[in-house]
Amino acid sequence: MRNIKNKIQLLEERIRQNEEQLHEAKKIRAEKLPYGYSALRQFIDPETMNIHYNKHYKGYISKLNDALEGKNGDLSLEEIIKTIERFSKSVRDNAGGAYNHAIFWKMLSPTEMEPKDEILKKINSNFGSYTNFKKKFEEYAKKRFGSGWVWLVLTKRGTLKIMTTANQDNPLMNVIKEGGHPLLGLDLWEHAYYLKYRNKRDEYIKNFWKVVNWDFVEEELMRLTNKNLQESNSVKKILKEQSRMNPCSEEDRSKIRSMFNNNPESLDMYQSKIKDFLAEVFKDKHYERNEYGPNTSSGVYDLEKPGRSIINYLNTNYSAFCPLLRDLNLVLSRANMEPINFTGKNKEEQINEMARMLGFIDQLKFRVFDINSKTFQNLFRILSQTSGKGNKTEDVVEKKFKEKFGTENIRRIGELGSKEDMMGIDMKIFIDGKTHTAQVKPFTSITNEDGNLRIDGTANVKKYTTDWMVFVRRGKDIMVFDNKDSQIKDGTYFFPESSLLYQF
Ligand code: MN
């Protein structure tokens, strides 16, 4: 009995200790200075270094812990910085001060260095040369008015850029537009240089190059680029291999089609996210509604040719969904992660799986939707083939309609992205002063089920608002239905026999 009591007491004691440790872990601590106060004399005097580290830096740390009041949970300082929007102004100032100085100490070295390896390659490709980069960095530093920092930043696209931030803001903060991960930074506050340089800030900026720790910058670059899936060599290799693989089977495609038809929420998620990703990746080529021209819908323009790009059809083309999923799963399996799988799952599970898939695409979007990626090239090839097919189908209908109703009474809605195109209108037919709108689709078979005609093999089954639905088989059989009484069941169109208007 006594033994058990002792054991419980011991356990309780251990739990209390753990809790204390946990509580302590939440406090943000000061990082050690990696060199002595006089180690950087060629750049800054020991007195400034001492005050800067012990008074300013440690001051930010203690004010930060006060301002957080333990509200940061288990978040690290970097995680606080990345989500700074939800914290107070006081946390923003002090977390910034704590984070900026912590990385600043590591960015400095007592021995003079030159950039080499990957960072030098990246500097050369982004700025032309190391000399040009230094010049530009100094210009930005000099232009910063008042307190702040100048940074060399790795953007989310994997490029380098120079930027400045005011006060103790950092490019990693989610309130900073077009930021990124800082690789190198210089403190432009007067407290950083005034004792030694007085009003000669330009001289302080110039001397910075004598103490830059390029080894640290290189390590940061490697750490960040390896962490990002989209920059890793294995992903590059996988994306390259895809071009040699067979496209998805008809069975795979029909599975996807039936999921989207039976679970419209999953389709909504997919379509809206793909649109967002494309808008983000092709930011320079993305236009909002009516922005590219009158009656144009939002989307990517002037990509492979002048005008609306076929990449916009990625969210409605099920043939393209399949290779996207397959390539993503290959990446996941190589990373020992569970592949995305929609089969044998209920609606809710499919939604969760879709969220997981879109989360990964989000991470990889700049690599997947890169013109040089093989996955992208594959998607592009599929989209151009299928959109070409659509046009041929419409050509056949146009020819027949012109024979039947007269050339002047048929108008093709050829402008992709026009308002009519968005509403699903492929063609307008004028008969006896009345206008009829029509959507044209290919089909593979038609069966009579108790007086209802079932149309199979049509892509992208959904309710259109057009007056007519026109189905074409193998470029010759044409069926024209009144759309009023159409029904969608089992992912297929059904029409009462009586709604068949014309047959060619
Ligand atoms: Mn400072």
Side-chain angles (χ1 to χ4, degrees):
M1 223 27 201
R2 209 171 173 196
N3 210 357
I4 292 174
K5 252 188 183 170
N6 281 344
K7 269 189 181 166
I8 289 172
Q9 244 176 11
L10 258 168
L11 248 159
E12 279 173 347
E13 175 66 10
R14 210 169 284 165
I15 289 166
R16 200 183 54 77
Q17 279 174 353
N18 281 343
E19 272 176 354
E20 270 176 11
Q21 269 175 12
L22 268 176
H23 191 75
E24 269 175 42
K26 286 176 194 166
K27 278 207 159 184
I28 308 296
R29 292 157 191 248
E31 303 236 2
K32 257 187 97 178
L33 195 65
Y35 32 75
Y37 302 130
S38 50
L40 309 174
R41 275 180 183 280
Q42 62 275 42
F43 173 57
I44 205 73
D45 58 291
E47 196 189 352
T48 302
M49 203 61 227
N50 190 335
I51 296 169
H52 202 180
Y53 178 78
N54 286 307
K55 302 289 173 209
H56 294 283
Y57 171 51
K58 287 191 174 169
Y60 287 121
I61 301 267
S62 88
K63 279 184 223 148
L64 170 62
N65 284 317
D66 290 347
L68 283 171
E69 298 170 317
K71 279 179 196 152
N72 51 320
D74 291 328
L75 289 184
S76 67
L77 181 52
E78 184 173 313
E79 286 163 336
I80 294 171
I81 293 289
K82 282 178 173 172
T83 57
I84 203 73
E85 196 167 17
R86 58 190 165 130
F87 292 96
S88 66
K89 174 79 170 68
S90 167
V91 170
R92 177 169 167 175
D93 289 341
N94 291 296
Y99 184 76
N100 290 346
H101 288 94
I103 57 176
F104 184 52
W105 312 136
K106 295 181 200 158
M107 290 165 175
L108 308 179
S109 153
T111 48
E112 192 163 349
M113 294 183 193
E114 294 276 312
K116 52 182 201 271
D117 300 331
E118 293 308 308
I119 186 64
L120 182 61
K121 269 189 229 162
K122 246 186 153 49
I123 284 175
N124 285 337
S125 68
N126 282 269
F127 304 104
S129 70
Y130 178 45
T131 312
N132 270 347
F133 156 71
K134 284 199 286 190
K135 212 177 124 205
K136 208 173 163 191
F137 191 90
E138 288 176 24
E139 278 168 15
Y140 272 76
K142 287 171 193 170
K143 268 190 281 177
R144 176 85 248 170
F145 184 78
S147 297
W149 292 73
V150 58
W151 304 100
L152 171 65
V153 166
L154 180 69
T155 69
K156 59 183 172 179
R157 287 172 194 239
T159 56
L160 295 182
K161 74 173 214 176
I162 300 166
M163 66 185 289
T164 64
T165 53
N167 305 317
Q168 292 294 1
D169 282 350
N170 186 286
L172 205 51
M173 287 178 169
N174 62 340
V175 289
I176 301 296
K177 274 194 184 135
E178 314 267 312
H181 208 105
L183 296 174
L184 183 65
L186 175 60
D187 192 339
L188 297 171
W189 284 57
E190 283 190 351
H191 70 225
Y193 64 86
Y194 204 79
L195 281 181
K196 180 177 163 79
Y197 294 92
R198 303 287 156 177
N199 59 338
K200 292 175 191 150
R201 195 168 77 153
D202 291 6
E203 213 175 293
Y204 162 76
I205 293 165
K206 245 199 154 41
N207 281 339
F208 175 56
W209 303 116
K210 294 177 185 168
V211 294
V212 171
N213 186 346
W214 284 109
D215 286 349
F216 171 81
V217 179
E218 173 83 9
E219 274 166 33
E220 276 297 276
L221 177 67
M222 296 320 289
R223 181 178 71 85
L224 294 165
T225 49
N226 286 336
K227 200 179 76 183
N228 292 338
L229 273 174
Q230 67 260 36
E231 285 290 336
S232 83
N233 280 330
S234 71
V235 171
K236 279 181 193 164
K237 202 169 144 245
I238 290 157
L239 293 171
K240 219 174 219 166
E241 279 169 10
Q242 293 322 301
S243 63
R244 278 178 256 121
M245 289 184 66
N246 294 327
C248 299
S249 67
E250 181 52 42
E251 197 196 338
D252 289 340
R253 269 199 295 274
S254 79
K255 272 186 197 163
I256 298 301
R257 198 177 295 138
S258 106
M259 173 177 78
F260 279 152
N261 288 331
N262 295 314
N263 193 349
E265 204 189 323
S266 68
L267 181 61
D268 286 349
M269 273 171 82
Y270 176 70
Q271 296 195 326
S272 81
K273 276 291 174 191
I274 290 290
K275 266 190 193 167
D276 290 350
F277 297 155
L278 292 176
E280 217 183 320
V281 173
F282 299 105
K283 207 173 171 190
D284 302 341
K285 296 186 182 298
H286 185 268
Y287 293 82
E288 292 303 325
R289 197 174 182 162
N290 297 333
E291 207 181 37
Y292 187 77
N295 293 330
T296 53
S297 58
S298 74
V300 180
Y301 286 78
D302 299 338
L303 186 65
E304 76 278 11
K305 58 175 190 332
R308 191 172 166 84
S309 171
I310 54 162
I311 196 64
N312 296 300
Y313 293 105
L314 185 59
N315 60 357
T316 52
N317 187 306
Y318 300 166
S319 306
F321 179 89
C322 207
L324 188 61
L325 176 63
R326 185 199 51 199
D327 288 9
L328 187 66
N329 275 340
L330 212 69
V331 174
L332 292 180
S333 73
R334 296 249 174 124
N336 283 323
M337 291 163 96
E338 207 184 319
I340 310 283
N341 179 20
F342 295 105
T343 47
K345 298 213 153 114
N346 67 31
K347 284 190 185 181
E348 202 189 321
E349 289 165 339
Q350 284 175 339
I351 296 289
N352 290 339
E353 206 61 354
M354 182 59 75
R356 204 160 73 89
M357 174 177 179
L358 293 167
F360 285 124
I361 298 178
D362 194 6
Q363 275 189 57
L364 293 165
K365 58 184 180 259
F366 286 102
R367 183 132 297 280
V368 171
F369 303 124
D370 180 318
I371 297 168
N372 298 313
S373 113
K374 295 294 173 189
T375 300
F376 185 82
Q377 288 168 7
N378 223 356
L379 294 175
F380 218 88
R381 189 173 46 78
I382 290 164
L383 293 175
S384 53
Q385 277 169 0
T386 43
S387 71
K389 211 184 256 173
N391 284 336
K392 236 181 258 165
T393 305
E394 286 167 35
D395 288 344
V396 173
V397 174
E398 184 183 10
K399 189 162 171 267
K400 275 280 177 228
F401 277 11
K402 280 183 173 170
E403 283 167 24
K404 167 101 183 157
F405 305 110
T407 304
E408 68 284 0
N409 293 323
I410 306 301
R411 180 147 333 130
R412 272 284 280 281
I413 310 298
E415 283 299 310
L416 289 178
S418 67
K419 201 171 144 207
E420 285 94 344
D421 181 54
M422 270 173 64
M423 290 161 61
I425 303 173
D426 291 325
M427 221 168 277
K428 283 184 179 176
I429 303 99
F430 307 101
I431 310 171
D432 302 330
K434 269 194 186 165
T435 305
H436 305 269
T437 55
Q439 161 68 212
V440 180
K441 287 194 159 297
F443 79 104
T444 54
S445 69
I446 177 164
T447 33
N448 195 324
E449 290 185 359
D450 305 325
N452 279 311
L453 298 171
R454 174 196 172 107
I455 314 288
D456 276 302
T458 60
N460 196 14
V461 177
K462 63 173 189 184
K463 184 82 181 169
Y464 289 91
T465 55
T466 53
D467 303 317
W468 294 357
M469 290 295 288
V470 181
F471 296 96
V472 185
R473 177 165 56 183
R474 273 182 251 115
K476 51 180 204 278
D477 307 327
I478 300 173
M479 327 266 305
V480 183
F481 289 94
D482 190 330
N483 197 17
K484 253 197 337 280
D485 303 318
S486 72
Q487 270 195 306
I488 296 174
K489 275 188 291 184
D490 312 327
T492 299
Y493 291 105
F494 285 85
F495 295 89
E497 271 177 299
S498 57
S499 64
L500 180 63
L501 299 173
Y502 306 96
Q503 197 172 354
F504 303 96

